[in-house]
Amino acid sequence: MKAIIFGPPGSGKGTYASRLRAKLGVDVIAMGDIFREIMKEDSPLGKKVKQYVEKGLLVPDDVVIEVLKQRLAKSSSKKGFILDGFPRTLEQANALDKIVAIDVVIKLTAPDSIIIERLSTRWICKSCGEVYNVRYLKPKVEGLCDRCGGQLYQRPDDTAKVIKERIQVYERQTQQILQHYKEKKVQFVEFKCEILDMAPDVAVESILRDLKTLKLA
Ligand code: ADP
């Protein structure tokens, strides 16, 4: 399965992608995580990426596409992959079309009120990127990751003030990309979240059912 997952910040994208990875054995390729790793390196690429990410700007397409190409080449799973955070521009979508044919777009939606409540209570593992919520999806030990024992932190941009802006940016960026895949007649699996504290497995099971119907899982 070659999938792309789209969803506004706080829609559960990272959580569901991680569970789909466990259930389907696919690789999850999360662009934001890749850039956070690259920025830790004291390399020319790390420095360049940092200039954009720290300002909340998109990294230039040529850089993103090159980084993605290399990451895809390293992907070892024969079951396929889920792309998260890519493509974010039409140019990236067009470049991806030349690299690989996408089977399915997984599209998540959630109302703004749910997004804001979820993100302002979200904690992420520094080591493996697993996502928790101090109200609805608590780690077993406060401040520590269930999966790897890593330290949990809050992203500096997960504040109510910045979240509304991020939702608008997401919608602006994604509209034309979703249109691109509709025009190409790529299959869509959609999940609409309407309950704040919905168990992640409810969404994951629904997505899996739809993927099975499409014979992709
Ligand atoms: P967010 O949800 O805040 O955008 P991500 O973790 O997806 O967080 O990405 C973090 C940052 O990495 C982005 O703000 C951007 O600077 C950069 N980035 C991630 N994916 C892309 C992409 N496809 N194209 C350009 N820049 C990207």
Side-chain angles (χ1 to χ4, degrees), residues 31-32 35-36 53 57-59 64 85-86 88 92 155 157:
M31 232 36 228
F35 285 138
R36 280 184 280 277
V53 175
L57 299 172
L58 287 183
V59 176
V64 187
F86 185 96
R88 272 194 167 136
Q92 291 178 14
R155 265 175 55 168
D157 56 348

Side-chain angles (χ1 to χ4, degrees), residues 7-10 13 30-36 39 49 52-61 64-65 84-89 92 122 155 157-158 166 169 173:
K13 198 162 44 106
M31 232 36 228
D33 291 346
I34 294 174
F35 285 138
R36 280 184 280 277
M39 288 191 308
V49 166
Y52 295 92
V53 175
E54 283 187 339
K55 294 190 192 107
L57 299 172
L58 287 183
V59 176
D61 285 333
V64 187
I65 291 161
D84 171 3
F86 185 96
R88 272 194 167 136
T89 65
Q92 291 178 14
R122 174 168 88 163
R155 265 175 55 168
D157 56 348
D158 277 350
R166 284 166 61 201
V169 170
Q173 281 177 359

Side-chain angles (χ1 to χ4, degrees), residues 123-172:
W123 289 73
I124 304 167
C125 176
K126 262 187 189 161
S127 308
C128 73
E130 191 79 358
V131 178
Y132 298 88
N133 184 293
V134 287
R135 291 205 201 148
Y136 313 106
L137 196 64
K138 286 187 187 173
K140 290 193 182 95
V141 181
E142 198 186 310
L144 295 181
C145 177
D146 291 351
R147 202 170 141 210
C148 75
Q151 259 193 335
L152 304 184
Y153 77 106
Q154 272 196 298
R155 265 175 55 168
D157 56 348
D158 277 350
T159 61
K161 208 170 66 182
V162 198
I163 294 167
K164 278 193 183 164
E165 167 70 17
R166 284 166 61 201
I167 296 170
Q168 281 169 9
V169 170
Y170 168 79
E171 270 160 16
R172 257 200 321 270

Side-chain angles (χ1 to χ4, degrees), residues 65 69 91-101 180 184:
I65 291 161
K69 258 191 201 162
E91 193 167 340
Q92 291 178 14
N94 287 323
L96 182 63
D97 289 342
K98 294 196 187 107
I99 304 170
V100 68
H180 172 88
K184 287 183 72 80

